[in-house]
Amino acid sequence: AGMASPLDSDVWIYRLVVGALALAVLITVVGAILLAMQGRAVPDVLLAIGSGAVGALAGLLAPSPAPGRR
């Protein structure tokens, strides 16, 4: 058999991606709160980045479906 791909064998890649996405969520949430507290409008791009990062985290952290089940 061939060698496993780095995505299968290196847990640090997965941890780095999850950490980066969590940091993006945290920064966008804090940024939106700070802007709202100042009475300024929250840019749509800030909401889009936060929503995308939350969706990506959910996709990565959700358990995979069992083989053969739908």
Side-chain angles (χ1 to χ4, degrees), residues 43-68:
D44 288 341
V45 69
L46 194 62
L47 298 176
I49 291 170
S51 298
V54 167
L57 266 177
L60 283 174
L61 298 177
S64 301

Side-chain angles (χ1 to χ4, degrees), residues 64-70:
S64 301
R69 291 185 59 191
R70 288 187 175 195

